[in-house]
Amino acid sequence: QVELVESGGGVVQPGGSLRLSCVASRRTLRNYSMAWFRQAPGKEREYVGRWQWSTDYADSVKGRFTISRDTFNNMLYLEMNSLKPEDTAIYYCASGPRASRQAENYNFWGQGTQVTVSS
């Protein structure tokens, strides 16, 4: 079992930046994919991006968000720049054996951290 805990959410103005962190309770399997998803009120959970040897991003965040991973310290990061009100959501960290954009392919999930972009 792997526990994931996100942190770093908050309230930021449009155009601002935030950095989210995700720590895993134990070393995730070397070939596991780690990903970020988000869910806005009244909407389905949405893929943001993933890291597994390389990165992949949803079109909606490409060029603004950057994912990095510190495998030694079991950390995953999401650097978010040029934030927009439509980025407001609960952001979740996830881990699973497949590099996928589908939430159902991820076995382990964090509790989420709220990001609110508002003036």
Side-chain angles (χ1 to χ4, degrees):
Q1 185 72 16
V2 175
E3 293 185 356
L4 303 172
V5 179
E6 305 92 338
S7 62
V11 180
V12 62
Q13 292 187 343
S17 299
L18 276 177
R19 187 194 195 204
L20 305 185
S21 300
C22 171
V23 58
S25 59
R26 67 172 179 84
R27 188 175 301 278
T28 54
L29 294 180
R30 185 181 181 188
N31 58 348
Y32 263 46
S33 177
M34 292 193 73
W36 290 98
F37 287 79
R38 66 186 182 185
Q39 189 165 16
K43 295 188 176 180
E44 293 186 354
R45 193 164 295 191
E46 175 189 24
Y47 172 77
V48 173
R50 69 173 185 265
W51 191 101
Q52 185 181 33
W53 313 121
S54 63
T55 51
D56 175 72
Y57 299 96
D59 288 344
S60 59
V61 306
K62 195 174 295 184
R64 300 188 298 122
F65 290 11
T66 303
I67 293 173
S68 59
R69 183 170 177 175
D70 178 351
T71 304
F72 182 80
N73 291 307
N74 306 329
M75 298 291 296
L76 183 74
Y77 302 100
L78 179 64
E79 185 77 35
M80 305 184 293
N81 298 310
S82 302
L83 282 161
K84 306 174 182 180
E86 52 263 42
D87 294 318
T88 295
I90 299 174
Y91 283 71
Y92 298 90
C93 174
S95 181
R98 292 180 57 188
S100 170
R101 292 187 170 199
Q102 307 302 316
E104 57 264 30
N105 290 321
Y106 290 86
N107 306 88
F108 306 110
W109 291 84
Q111 298 283 6
T113 185
Q114 176 71 48
V115 171
T116 302
V117 184
S118 174
S119 55

